[in-house]
Amino acid sequence: MRASHHHQRQNLGGSFSSSFTTKKNNTTKQQGKMRNIGDGKKTIILRSAAKNDDANEIASEKDENTNKKLTKREFGAKTFAFTSLSLFASSSSSQKEAFALNDSSLNSNFWEKVDLPLEPGVILLDIAFTDENAQHGFLLGTRQTILETFDGGKTWDAKDLGQDVIDDEVNYRFNSVSFNGDEGWIVGKPAILLHTVDAGKTWERVGLSPRLPGIPVLITATGDNGVAEMVTDQGAIYLTTDAARNWKAAVEETVDATLNRTVSSGVQGASYYTGSFSTVSRNPETGEYIGLSSRGNFYMSWAPGQAYWQPHNRSSARRIQSMGWRKDGGVWQLTRGGGIYLSDTKALPEEDDEFTEGKIGSRGYGLLDLGSNASGTKYFTVGGSGSVFSSEDKGKTWKRDRGTDEVAGNLYKVAFAKDDVGFILGNDGILLRYRGSA
């Protein structure tokens, strides 16, 4: 058993290249081949942010396996039929307005609810925009969900990439999307990597090897002309500078291999570790990463140039639910039971106790993500049962948004493209759009 375990924890060091062909969607030419990467044991096949799966997501995934699923084309046909009926009922409404929800019952000072053309049970996971004005973007989720907007997220339409890019029979969970200008990337589970160079008009699929150590959970377009970084839930980090033709491993081994090798590290819960990261967050200024263990009992960090992930004890007695980077370079932690901790420095703390607890009345509801507007002047944290809190003093004190209490679901992610363009993503197709203070 032990020999088999160590055999699977392969060394990730080195780099490789491979020839490839492309497989892409095109409205005029529906042919192509999958681009393959990898050569035997030298596998490099590999954004906050993968979240802790709760009971709702587990039930959702069971429903996906037991119930008859719509194919993308069947879903597109139903979406078209719904749109047509809406247009017939109101001649003054456009097709996109048929999917817009002006929900006056959401009495929030900051947020409005957006209706989406989705089946019940879809969990939204990530969002990104292609332009500086944040008008054209993509929204991802479970059950092969890819939606597209051209009006800053007021309305959304399903994006069909075609069967030559995505197999309708595979129930993909799209975890992360990132754009740098017109070039964009998407990763998901089962392991899949999509690439575009025309702002998402067409996509090509990069074939991923089954030897990939873990599931891709975060992709970041770090530059133009094919420059990107990809991270898996087992801590593999790979870099490309030529649109995935060649990749280079940034760390020499997976997270569990590092922890099991350094059993004297002093990190509680790290010895004989066989888990994975539940969340991974990247500092856009420094390129540093934070990875939270799936059990929430410790976290790890990595900075460019380091060969291995560095383990850290948690600062609170309670386990960490989620963590990430602040706009000023500091770190935030959300603990089970609704606690918030902020690092005292504008960097990754050197000591485990360099965190200060924020004042928040979370009512015991778990908090799942924290984010801020683009300038970092206003913070938001979200969690279970539609919980939304805001802070105007960089997280020291928090005010509950009672207007979102009627949102029947859990909220997983806060994402802002600009100070006035922000979103909250949740389960059951919940999307809240920022509309500023009343």
Side-chain angles (χ1 to χ4, degrees), residues 20-39:
F20 62 89
T21 55
T22 61
K23 178 178 181 181
K24 66 197 307 181
N25 70 314
N26 192 304
T27 55
T28 59
K29 186 177 181 180
Q30 299 292 328
Q31 296 179 350
K33 296 181 179 179
M34 182 180 296
R35 189 162 83 191
N36 293 306
I37 293 180
D39 60 341

Side-chain angles (χ1 to χ4, degrees), residues 93-276:
S93 297
S94 66
Q95 177 177 345
K96 289 185 177 181
E97 289 174 338
F99 292 130
L101 176 63
N102 184 13
D103 191 350
S104 58
S105 65
L106 196 62
N107 234 353
S108 170
N109 290 330
F110 300 105
W111 305 95
E112 61 185 7
K113 192 174 181 181
V114 180
D115 195 23
L116 301 176
L118 293 175
E119 300 176 75
V122 170
I123 300 171
L124 302 178
L125 298 172
D126 202 11
I127 188 172
F129 288 84
T130 66
D131 57 321
E132 293 183 357
N133 295 325
Q135 293 298 299
H136 177 225
F138 291 85
L139 178 64
L140 308 184
T142 58
R143 302 188 187 181
Q144 293 198 14
T145 297
I146 302 180
L147 304 182
E148 186 175 19
T149 183
F150 293 93
D151 58 9
K154 296 177 182 178
T155 58
W156 297 83
D157 296 316
K159 178 70 174 181
D160 186 358
L161 303 188
Q163 284 185 321
D164 57 333
V165 177
I166 298 179
D167 186 352
D168 284 347
E169 299 303 318
V170 179
N171 192 9
Y172 288 106
R173 167 197 176 102
F174 293 116
N175 291 320
S176 176
V177 57
S178 179
F179 276 89
N180 187 299
D182 288 345
E183 185 170 27
W185 306 82
I186 291 175
V187 295
K189 174 186 178 181
I192 186 172
L193 171 62
L194 305 176
H195 180 227
T196 181
V197 294
D198 56 10
K201 293 180 182 178
T202 60
W203 293 83
E204 64 176 352
R205 179 171 173 178
V206 181
L208 299 181
S209 167
R211 296 176 180 268
L212 167 69
I215 299 298
V217 293
L218 183 64
I219 185 76
T220 306
T222 55
D224 52 12
N225 298 321
V227 181
E229 296 180 5
M230 181 181 293
V231 186
T232 75
D233 61 357
Q234 289 188 12
I237 304 175
Y238 294 99
L239 317 176
T240 182
T241 58
D242 55 9
R245 290 175 175 84
N246 299 277
W247 292 87
K248 182 178 180 180
V251 293
E252 295 188 6
E253 60 189 10
T254 55
V255 171
D256 51 359
T258 297
L259 292 173
N260 294 334
R261 179 174 51 81
T262 58
V263 293
S264 61
S265 62
V267 175
Q268 297 178 1
S271 299
Y272 306 108
Y273 179 73
T274 58
S276 59

Side-chain angles (χ1 to χ4, degrees), residues 55-73:
N56 287 334
E57 182 170 351
I58 295 173
S60 173
E61 291 181 349
K62 287 183 178 179
D63 290 342
E64 292 165 4
N65 294 329
T66 57
N67 296 338
K68 183 181 184 297
K69 301 182 292 291
L70 293 175
T71 66
K72 296 293 284 187
R73 301 193 185 284

